[in-house]
């Protein structure tokens, strides 16, 4: 049979070959290993640029707003914030969900894209993971002080309090404590493991340049890493496992954050769509922030060969995909509110779009649903300034999403007699504004003292790192 | 020449050269030797005859410990040591205990994985003879090395040097212990 079909096949078939599309280059201009090392280490080794000092000063000044705001709240009481019945969550929880969502893109880039073998992650994962950690720091400030008497915040941890009472594990708020603290810890560990080989590079370079103190400090944190292939074998396995566990972690963290809402009975919150919708929103906002941070860095440090147009395209496309998922979730929420026949649910959504917070709702829709649609166009993705401006709108829109979810549902729930309206106070606004300063201070320190990109990983995705020169391993 | 050298080191320019040299060293029957590469080289494990890493065993142990810790902690705290009745809900159920146990599974797995990797790699290492080699900075930059230790039963100063030279090793040098 097979012989017959072979003979009867038209001769042209022998000449037809499957197309092979050229693989996107991860590093432009065929840069070699030494160039990559020099470029990235040069940022840390060089003199502190004056723009850095200016940005650092401004960031410190902004961070003072958070410090001052929190000091005032602790000294006076949470009444100085605008939150009062019926909106007891108000600004701090909006800000908490906003910041924790920002962090998710970092873990997505470092973990999920690692499992999916997306090589373009290598030049942005380090900075994105740093962003995750700093965003979790900013996020953590809010729930800790939102408990009111912050000196009792340790009641959240499984430590017996004065009366030997343990935390109550039936509450999603308690789940959240574990989710967020695990997320923070695992993000730091993952980041540090990734940094290890690059810290060794810096140690060796500082030692060579005769800068002993620096060599000692980086050497201390490099733990004696010496690039041994036997060590790489364990290292790569550990990195893969960390990526494997960080993936369900990042999905679970925002799922559990959404449980804070979805497990309650409040109309507009009590929906099963919340976990996937929150996760998509978190990744959307995180990529917005990655673009906001990486595009200026790329321009300042002339990193165009490492963060190529291909990288920007990929990030824009993920923003487009997740933004569209978020848009779908908004539409589906509306549809289900009507389809469920629940009058409270129906009212909540009409109230969201046309009630007293309609202005916030339409800001949210324009920023989150319309903005990403620009990324369909190559001309837009090629225009880095425009991409950067759009990324700011993504950040803005995602803050408003959390504001809309919290405020519209809480201000008008079941009983009109208990309806209200939330207006933030100046303390609320300043405390939130200041967290951008806290974030910037940490991020500026990171770009000054640590390698901005994972050098070892970038080298690993260049064509010259392939021992078989693009051919298949004959012994595999 | 040092009295008790640690071993011989040879440099290679490309991952391809290193790969083929590693195969030769493996086939010559050496056991106590290593490659130094600035980045992991795909397939080098096979060329060196290194077995699959056992880090996953640490991870699995950590994960199981984490999950059991979560479940038993919540049962002990909420259903045994200090019972609190909330909303008529059961004192313990694996369902409400799941999210926290899940997070602890991940947390313990992460610590076990990293701890296991550090343990297997002998980190933190304060001193290693290789780090004293004057060109070692290139092993974290752009060059590739093979180190064969004198402790290897097959080590012989002349033959080993000849093997490295034949495999294409450049700048073959002796490492001080």
């Amino acid at each position: 049979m097979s012989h017959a079909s072979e003979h009867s096949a038209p001769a042209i078939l022998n000449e037809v070959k499957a197309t092979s599309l050229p693989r996107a280059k991860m590093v432009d201009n065929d840069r070699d290993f030494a160039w990559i090392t020099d470029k990235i280490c040069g940022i840390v080794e060089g003199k502190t640029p004056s723009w850095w000092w200016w940005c650092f000063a401004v960031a410190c000044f902004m961070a003072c707003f958070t410090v001052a705001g929190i000091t005032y709240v602790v000294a006076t009481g949470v009444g100085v914030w605008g939150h009062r019945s019926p909106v007891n969550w108000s600004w701090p929880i909006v800000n908490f969900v906003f910041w924790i969502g920002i962090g998710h893109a970092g873990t997505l880039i470092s973990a999920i894209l690692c499992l999916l073998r997306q090589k373009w992650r290598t030049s942005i994962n380090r900075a994105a993971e740093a962003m995750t950690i700093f965003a979790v720091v900013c996020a953590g400030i809010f729930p800790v002080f939102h408990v009111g008497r912050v000196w009792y915040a340790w009641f959240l941890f499984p430590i017996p309090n004065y009366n030997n009472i343990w935390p109550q594990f039936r509450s999603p708020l308690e789940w959240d404590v574990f989710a967020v603290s695990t997320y923070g810890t695992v993000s730091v560990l993952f980041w540090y493991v990734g940094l290890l080989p690059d810290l060794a590079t810096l140690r060796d370079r500082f030692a060579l340049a005769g800068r002993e103190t620096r060599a000692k400090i980086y050497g201390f944190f490099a733990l004696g890493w010496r690039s041994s292939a036997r060590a790489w074998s364990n290292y790569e396995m550990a990195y893969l496992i960390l990526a494997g566990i960080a993936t369900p972690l990042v999905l679970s963290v925002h799922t559990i954050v959404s449980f804070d809402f979805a497990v309650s009975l409040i109309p507009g919150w009590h929906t099963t769509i919340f976990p996937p919708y929150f996760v998509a929103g978190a990744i959307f906002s995180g990529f917005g922030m990655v673009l906001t941070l990486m595009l200026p860095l790329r321009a300042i440090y002339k990193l165009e060969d490492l963060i190529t147009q291909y990288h920007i395209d990929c990030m824009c496309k993920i923003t487009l995909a997740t933004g569209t998922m978020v848009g779908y979730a908004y539409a589906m929420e509306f549809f289900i509110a009507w389809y469920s026949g629940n009058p409270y649910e129906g009212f909540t959504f009409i109230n969201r779009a046309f009630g007293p917070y309609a202005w916030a709702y339409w800001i949210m829709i324009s920023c989150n649903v319309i903005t990403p649609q620009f990324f369909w166009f190559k001309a837009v993705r090629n225009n880095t300034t425009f991409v950067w401006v759009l990324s700011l709108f993504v950040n803005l829109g995602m803050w408003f999403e959390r504001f809309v979810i919290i405020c519209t549902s809480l201000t008008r729930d079941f009983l009109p007699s208990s309806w209200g309206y939330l207006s933030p106070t100046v303390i609320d606004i300043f405390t939130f504004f200041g967290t951008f300063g806290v974030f910037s201070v940490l991020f500026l320190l990171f770009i000054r003292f640590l390698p901005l990109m994972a050098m070892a990983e970038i080298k690993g995705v260049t064509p010259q790192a392939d021992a078989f020169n693009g051919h298949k391993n004959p012994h595999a | 020449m040092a009295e008790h050298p640690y071993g011989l080191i040879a440099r290679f320019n490309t991952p391809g050269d290193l790969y083929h040299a590693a195969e030769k060293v493996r086939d010559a029957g050496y056991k106590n030797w290593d490659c130094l590469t600035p980045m992991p080289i795909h397939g080098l494990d096979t060329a060196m005859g290194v077995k699959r890493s056992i880090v996953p065993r640490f991870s699995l142990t950590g994960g199981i410990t984490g999950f059991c810790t979560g479940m038993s902690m919540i049962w002990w705290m909420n259903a045994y040591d200090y019972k609190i009745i909330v909303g008529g809900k059961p004192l313990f159920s694996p369902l409400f205990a799941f999210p926290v146990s899940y997070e602890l599974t991940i947390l313990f797995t992460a610590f076990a994985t990293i701890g296991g990797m550090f343990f297997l790699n002998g980190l933190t290492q304060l001193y290693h003879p290789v780090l004293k080699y004057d060109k070692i900075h290139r092993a974290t930059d752009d060059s590739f090395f093979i180190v064969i230790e004198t402790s290897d039963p097959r080590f012989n100063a002349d033959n080993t040097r000849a093997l490295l030279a034949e495999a294409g090793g450049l700048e073959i040098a002796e490492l001080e212990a």
Side-chain angles (χ1 to χ4, degrees):
Chain A
M1 263 311 269
S2 63
H3 277 282
S5 58
E6 245 171 55
H7 286 294
S8 59
I12 185 84
L13 280 190
N14 296 329
E15 289 163 37
V16 177
K17 295 267 182 324
T19 22
S20 62
L21 290 169
R23 291 232 168 188
K25 274 189 194 164
M26 297 301 143
V27 179
D28 271 351
N29 293 328
D30 294 320
R31 302 297 192 176
D32 60 8
F33 299 142
W35 184 88
I36 296 171
T37 320
D38 284 339
K39 184 79 196 169
I40 298 168
C41 292
I43 297 173
V44 179
E45 291 164 348
K47 207 169 158 285
T48 312
S50 55
W51 67 263
W52 189 91
W53 282 115
W54 284 110
C55 291
F56 192 68
V58 172
C60 286
F61 178 69
M62 276 170 75
C64 291
F65 281 82
T66 293
V67 177
I70 285 170
T71 313
Y72 187 54
V73 164
V74 173
T76 320
V78 284
V80 298
W81 279 341
H83 75 281
R84 46 189 54 89
S85 185
V87 194
N88 285 315
W89 275 14
S90 74
W91 269 60
I93 302 301
V94 173
N95 301 337
F96 160 70
V97 183
F98 169 78
W99 274 117
I100 201 92
I102 296 270
H104 282 46
T107 324
L108 179 98
I109 291 169
S110 54
I112 301 184
L113 296 186
C114 175
L115 294 185
L116 297 176
R117 301 197 185 178
Q118 296 295 307
K119 289 181 175 175
W120 59 273
R121 66 183 271 286
T122 51
S123 62
I124 49 172
N125 71 338
R126 173 73 41 75
E129 286 168 39
M131 175 193 84
T132 296
I133 294 164
F134 306 149
V136 172
V137 169
C138 293
I141 295 172
F142 292 101
V144 167
F145 287 93
H146 187 258
V147 299
R149 297 175 190 162
V150 69
W151 49 96
Y152 290 135
W154 60 275
F155 278 19
L156 292 165
F157 290 96
I159 304 165
N161 66 21
Y162 311 131
N163 297 318
N164 277 324
I165 305 175
W166 297 99
Q168 206 275 96
F169 285 96
R170 277 154 285 189
S171 161
L173 299 178
E174 185 60 27
W175 306 345
D176 217 13
V177 172
F178 278 82
V180 173
S181 46
T182 300
Y183 185 49
T185 316
V186 173
S187 300
V188 171
L189 292 176
F190 200 18
W191 191 53
Y192 181 60
V193 167
L195 269 168
L196 207 54
D198 291 353
L199 291 172
T201 304
L202 279 169
R203 169 199 66 197
D204 293 347
R205 286 174 67 95
F206 279 121
L208 194 70
R211 292 163 77 176
E212 285 300 322
T213 325
R214 287 251 186 156
K216 280 213 174 86
I217 296 170
Y218 285 102
F220 176 80
F221 288 105
L223 305 178
W225 179 263
R226 59 175 199 284
S227 312
S228 141
R230 289 173 198 274
W232 275 120
S233 165
N234 291 322
Y235 175 94
E236 280 203 290
M237 183 59 86
Y239 198 84
L240 185 68
I241 292 173
L242 284 177
I245 59 167
T247 301
L249 174 66
V250 65
L251 299 179
S252 78
V253 172
H254 229 61
T255 298
I256 292 178
V257 170
S258 82
F259 283 167
D260 294 345
F261 297 82
V263 173
S264 75
L265 293 171
I266 304 288
W269 288 7
H270 189 56
T271 57
T272 47
I273 200 177
F274 257 39
Y277 156 34
F278 267 50
V279 171
I283 291 166
F284 174 62
S285 68
F287 267 91
M289 192 58 117
V290 171
L291 285 167
T292 311
L293 293 171
M294 292 310 276
L295 294 179
L297 282 181
R298 175 183 190 252
I300 292 170
Y301 287 121
K302 311 247 176 305
L303 298 168
E304 287 85 354
D305 287 346
L306 296 171
I307 305 175
T308 64
Q309 184 56 42
Y310 174 69
H311 290 93
I312 298 177
D313 270 2
C314 289
M315 289 190 270
C316 290
K317 285 174 188 169
I318 291 196
T319 314
L320 169 61
T322 48
T324 310
M325 283 180 213
V326 169
Y328 170 78
Y330 294 159
M332 196 42 86
E333 268 189 324
F334 241 94
F335 170 73
I336 293 293
W338 167 76
Y339 189 67
S340 68
N342 180 333
Y344 298 106
E345 196 75 17
F347 168 77
T348 299
F349 281 91
I350 297 294
N351 180 50
R352 265 188 199 173
F354 305 106
Y357 286 111
W359 57 275
Y361 183 81
W362 294 108
I363 292 178
M364 165 186 104
I365 293 284
S366 0
C367 292
N368 293 352
V369 185
I370 300 169
T371 307
Q373 303 310 321
F374 284 102
F375 292 139
W376 286 104
F377 306 103
K378 201 171 172 58
V380 172
R381 299 197 302 265
N382 283 342
N383 183 341
T384 34
T385 321
F386 194 44
V387 170
W388 190 74
V389 173
L390 290 178
S391 77
L392 293 181
F393 279 104
V394 170
N395 289 320
L396 179 74
M398 284 310 290
W399 186 86
F400 271 99
E401 179 196 294
R402 281 65 176 245
F403 179 78
V404 166
I405 291 173
I406 289 182
C407 291
T408 58
S409 284
L410 285 179
T411 48
R412 294 189 165 188
D413 55 2
F414 302 100
L415 276 180
S417 60
S418 61
W419 285 3
Y421 189 84
L422 170 95
S423 305
T425 63
V426 73
I427 311 291
D428 271 318
I429 296 170
F430 277 179
T431 310
F432 176 56
F433 169 75
T435 49
F436 288 95
V438 174
F439 181 85
S440 309
V441 166
L442 294 169
F443 202 80
L444 284 164
L445 289 173
F446 157 69
I447 58 179
R448 187 72 207 100
F449 293 108
L450 289 172
L452 182 59
M453 291 182 184
M455 288 180 273
E457 286 190 43
I458 295 179
K459 288 174 196 168
V461 298
T462 55
Q464 63 267 33
D466 184 359
F468 312 103
N469 225 349
H471 299 293
K472 262 192 122 168
N473 181 353
H475 309 291
Chain B
M1 197 163 209
E3 208 163 314
H4 296 290
Y6 171 77
L8 283 176
I9 191 164
R11 193 175 70 76
F12 297 85
N13 274 326
T14 67
D17 294 350
L18 177 85
Y19 185 91
H20 297 301
E23 284 178 321
K24 288 199 178 102
V25 177
R26 173 198 64 192
D27 294 341
Y30 286 93
K31 295 281 174 243
N32 300 349
W33 65 289
D34 208 346
C35 296
L36 307 179
T37 62
M39 74 298 262
I41 304 291
H42 187 66
L44 191 61
D45 293 2
T46 339
M48 289 175 68
V50 173
K51 289 204 192 91
R52 193 184 148 86
S53 165
I54 58 160
V55 167
R57 295 180 198 176
F58 290 86
S59 313
L60 182 68
T61 318
I64 294 172
T65 316
F67 189 78
C68 297
T69 309
M71 283 287 171
S72 47
M73 174 183 82
I74 294 171
W75 169 79
W76 189 78
M77 288 178 183
N78 279 183
Y80 184 79
D81 187 53
Y82 199 119
K83 299 185 179 81
I84 313 173
I85 297 172
V86 177
K89 291 172 198 162
L91 288 173
F92 179 78
S93 151
L95 298 183
F96 74 70
F98 189 79
V100 169
S101 308
Y102 179 94
E103 298 302 332
L104 288 181
T105 308
I106 291 174
L107 186 68
F108 280 45
T109 310
F111 275 109
T113 307
I114 293 174
M117 189 266 278
F118 281 2
F119 170 74
L120 293 173
N121 288 346
L123 303 175
T124 305
Q125 196 151 42
L126 296 177
Y127 172 74
H128 194 279
V130 161
L131 293 177
K132 237 163 90 175
Y133 180 49
D134 59 352
K135 293 193 185 70
I136 195 63
H137 63 274
R138 295 199 64 186
T140 52
D141 180 9
D142 64 343
S143 226
F144 305 84
F145 296 87
I146 287 184
V147 182
I148 303 181
E149 297 173 25
T150 47
S151 62
D152 193 287
R154 286 179 175 268
F155 187 90
N156 170 301
D158 300 327
N159 294 350
T160 308
R161 187 179 282 268
L163 173 75
L164 285 171
E166 188 214 313
L170 312 164
E171 300 157 20
I172 302 172
E174 203 167 68
L175 289 174
E176 271 180 66

